[in-house]
Amino acid sequence: MRGGGLLVAGTTSDAGKSVVTAGICRWLVRQGVKVAPFKGQNMSLNSFVTREGAEIGRAQAMQAQAARVEPSALMNPVLLKPGSDRSSQVVLMGKPVGEMSARGYHGGRQQTLFEPVMACLEELRGTYDAVICEGAGSPAEINLRRTDIVNMGIARAAKLPVVVVGDIDRGGVFAQFFGTTALLAPEDQELVAGYLVNKFRGDVTLLEPGLDMLHGLTGRRTFGVLPYAHGLGIDEEDGLRVSLRGTVRESVVAPPVGEDVLRVAVCAVPLMSNFTDVDALAAEPGVVVRFVDRPEELVDADLVVVPGTRGTVKALAWLRERGLADALARRAAEGRPVLGICGGFQALGERIEDEVESKAGVVDGLGLLPVRIRFGVEKTLARPVGEALGERVEGYEIHHGVAEVLGGTPFLDGCRVGAVWGTHWHGSLESDGFRRAFLREVAAAAGRRFVPAPDTSFGTLREEQLDRLGDLIEEHADTDALLRLIEKGVPQGLPFVPPGAP
């Protein structure tokens, strides 16, 4: 099958492209197919560092795990990391190459990236039996089609069949499928093989008449109806949307081992990045994780996490404006646990010198840790291994800030003072022994009779979640038809749906 492929597009952002791509990868690898994921251009603040020191989207790292292969920069050659509503850092082949406005990117720079994106895809297709590509947003963004390097642009160049995913839980999925197809140019429509319904609740027989009518209107079949699946907990591509107040991170259903639960509040700072760090906490029985944006929501928390952010200075201002900075200071004075990760660690320090990210110059931090931060032009991308609380820890680093630790007790690359911890390391809580030791310290400081489960394995739970995604595809999609698409390409003679692209 060498070189087979498929593009998973979506009617909207968050339609389920990432999980469907991961599910197809896991299903294929269980069939003995050597498969890799690919996303030509990703916009996300949740990123990961590969073993060779390249930064890629966490969704592609998760999909690589689903495919049981090592993540590589080839799988996500272009990563855009928003720094504001109008500009992003451009990461090319895992390394930052500068900041660019949306107008500047779509006005010319994006087109220059098409060749390296296609080169990465072709290299993967020459190495793997199949490459499952994920699109971005919708392929029917008619204002951006001319410079597209992630949806129909690569599908047409690589002659990839396209399956469009729609989220029926939002409603309007038939209009989304029809409208998406009808807004594509004839040459693009020729590649759209059909549809995949995601997040369906109820009796599928009630949906079937609509699917038959959709086939009559478009000449394209539906390759499956995936049921709504709770508690998948896989890495998300973008920041949590909307007002984050009260949003609870999904966790396992098991009751606590000890007498108490442990409540974790995560400050929903602006440009929050790698909030997936708290997934390992949510995986622990008896740990409840929620995102907050008001000081009163810290009162009953046993642990407060100040997470990573792409805008440390902006996050500091937000913490002060909201009254959260004062609430954190009160917690520190009372010996109640606070953990700062990456940008959150930087915010907890004494001083920040930033001529790179915000260009704000010298800014006072919250002063809860004896640390001074200086932002450097070069980004640190690393996969450190160390020890903390008597346990082995693995993590990854993605930051411009360089920390000068002036005191406290060493903690990973940062420090600890009382019940306040700070580190640049993302992913450290995925190390099971360390996570349990850390939670024991938190419970003791918080006065909770919480006991970490002795056998929770975050890696095992992640594998089980990825297997669930593979099961969704195997049990609810027409896998024979999908395999024919991957091996042989799009069927010939699919009808044109007017009016097409304007």
Side-chain angles (χ1 to χ4, degrees):
M1 188 201 290
R2 182 58 59 86
L6 176 72
L7 174 70
V8 178
T11 57
T12 63
S13 294
D14 204 31
K17 298 183 293 291
S18 294
V19 295
V20 168
T21 300
I24 293 174
C25 286
R26 177 51 59 102
W27 160 65
L28 283 172
V29 78
R30 294 195 307 208
Q31 309 308 308
V33 177
K34 186 181 179 185
V35 59
F38 177 80
K39 186 163 186 172
Q41 172 199 290
N42 196 348
M43 177 173 280
S44 179
L45 287 172
N46 283 339
S47 58
F48 181 76
V49 179
T50 68
R51 293 203 181 279
E52 66 267 25
E55 185 179 8
I56 66 172
R58 270 200 74 101
Q60 280 60 66
M62 175 271 294
Q63 291 161 357
Q65 186 177 351
R68 295 180 180 147
V69 296
E70 189 66 31
S72 161
L74 292 171
M75 299 172 184
N76 179 206
V78 179
L79 174 63
L80 305 178
K81 303 192 71 175
S84 70
D85 290 340
R86 296 189 177 185
S87 68
S88 296
Q89 183 181 66
V90 181
V91 179
L92 176 62
M93 291 304 295
K95 305 296 181 184
V97 294
E99 296 278 338
M100 186 163 290
S101 68
R103 180 180 293 275
Y105 182 72
H106 291 288
R109 179 61 186 271
Q110 188 178 33
Q111 289 174 293
T112 68
L113 298 174
F114 184 75
E115 186 174 332
V117 164
M118 288 304 302
C120 290
L121 176 57
E122 291 309 308
E123 184 171 343
L124 288 174
R125 295 184 78 182
T127 305
Y128 290 88
D129 298 333
V131 179
I132 308 303
C133 306
E134 179 188 346
S138 162
E141 305 289 0
I142 54 179
N143 56 316
L144 303 177
R145 176 61 183 90
R146 182 178 60 84
T147 57
D148 171 42
I149 64 171
V150 65
N151 288 308
M152 303 312 297
I154 67 162
R156 195 191 296 188
K159 296 181 172 57
L160 291 173
V162 178
V163 173
V164 182
V165 178
D167 178 358
I168 197 169
D169 195 50
R170 296 181 174 187
V173 75
F174 294 115
Q176 293 171 23
F177 283 144
F178 181 85
T180 297
T181 309
L183 277 177
L184 298 178
E187 297 83 358
D188 289 345
Q189 286 194 26
E190 289 174 1
L191 299 172
V192 177
Y195 314 108
L196 194 63
V197 177
N198 191 30
K199 300 183 184 178
F200 180 72
R201 308 172 193 250
D203 184 350
V204 72
T205 61
L206 298 177
L207 190 66
E208 288 170 353
L211 300 179
D212 291 340
M213 286 186 275
L214 181 67
H215 182 270
L217 288 165
T218 66
R220 290 159 174 84
R221 57 166 302 180
T222 298
F223 289 93
V225 178
L226 307 184
Y228 195 103
H230 292 278
L232 288 175
I234 57 99
D235 296 344
E236 296 177 61
E237 184 169 276
D238 302 310
L240 291 174
R241 290 168 170 52
V242 301
S243 158
L244 288 155
R245 183 162 44 80
T247 301
V248 177
R249 202 72 175 145
E250 285 189 291
S251 58
V252 294
V253 180
V257 175
E259 297 180 44
D260 289 342
V261 298
L262 208 64
R263 296 171 177 83
V264 179
V266 184
C267 296
V269 296
L271 299 174
M272 183 168 53
S273 61
N274 287 64
F275 59 80
T276 48
D277 282 332
V278 301
D279 285 352
L281 295 178
E284 283 286 347
V287 176
V288 179
V289 177
R290 69 182 190 273
F291 291 85
V292 303
D293 60 5
R294 298 191 306 200
E296 57 268 29
E297 293 175 301
L298 304 190
V299 174
D300 68 342
D302 302 306
L303 168 66
V304 173
V305 177
V306 187
T309 172
R310 175 85 162 87
T312 302
V313 171
K314 182 179 290 188
L316 267 170
W318 181 87
L319 290 168
R320 288 179 167 125
E321 290 165 3
R322 294 273 178 150
L324 289 161
D326 290 338
L328 289 168
R330 286 194 297 272
R331 288 187 67 90
E334 295 165 1
R336 303 178 65 203
V338 176
L339 171 64
I341 302 174
C342 199
F345 164 47
Q346 296 168 3
L348 297 180
E350 297 174 351
R351 189 180 71 190
I352 294 170
E353 297 179 34
D354 182 10
E355 299 293 347
V356 175
E357 192 174 77
S358 68
K359 298 181 173 58
V362 177
V363 177
D364 288 336
L366 299 184
L368 305 185
L369 290 174
V371 175
R372 294 180 180 176
I373 302 293
R374 178 184 53 80
F375 275 71
V377 175
E378 296 297 319
K379 180 184 281 191
T380 297
L381 297 169
R383 291 277 292 272
V385 177
E387 184 176 300
L389 305 180
E391 300 286 347
R392 185 176 186 273
V393 187
E394 295 184 27
Y396 57 99
E397 294 184 69
I398 307 169
H399 54 91
H400 283 278
V402 178
E404 180 186 5
V405 179
L406 304 172
T409 303
F411 176 70
L412 303 179
D413 73 336
C415 66
R416 171 187 181 179
V417 174
V420 180
W421 293 266
T423 177
H424 270 134
W425 291 21
H426 294 289
S428 62
L429 294 166
E430 295 179 19
S431 298
D432 297 326
F434 166 70
R435 182 180 64 256
R436 286 192 278 269
F438 177 71
L439 289 176
R440 282 193 290 269
E441 294 247 353
V442 168
R448 293 287 184 187
R449 290 171 294 182
F450 169 85
V451 178
D455 56 355
T456 301
S457 166
F458 184 75
T460 299
L461 289 171
R462 175 53 52 88
E463 278 296 303
E464 291 173 354
Q465 291 163 339
L466 293 173
D467 274 332
R468 287 181 64 194
L469 295 182
D471 293 343
L472 285 174
I473 298 299
E474 188 168 345
E475 296 169 10
H476 300 282
D478 186 338
T479 52
D480 290 340
L482 288 176
L483 197 57
R484 283 195 298 272
L485 284 180
I486 293 167
E487 290 180 330
K488 299 180 180 179
V490 68
Q492 298 299 305
L494 292 171
F496 171 69
V497 179

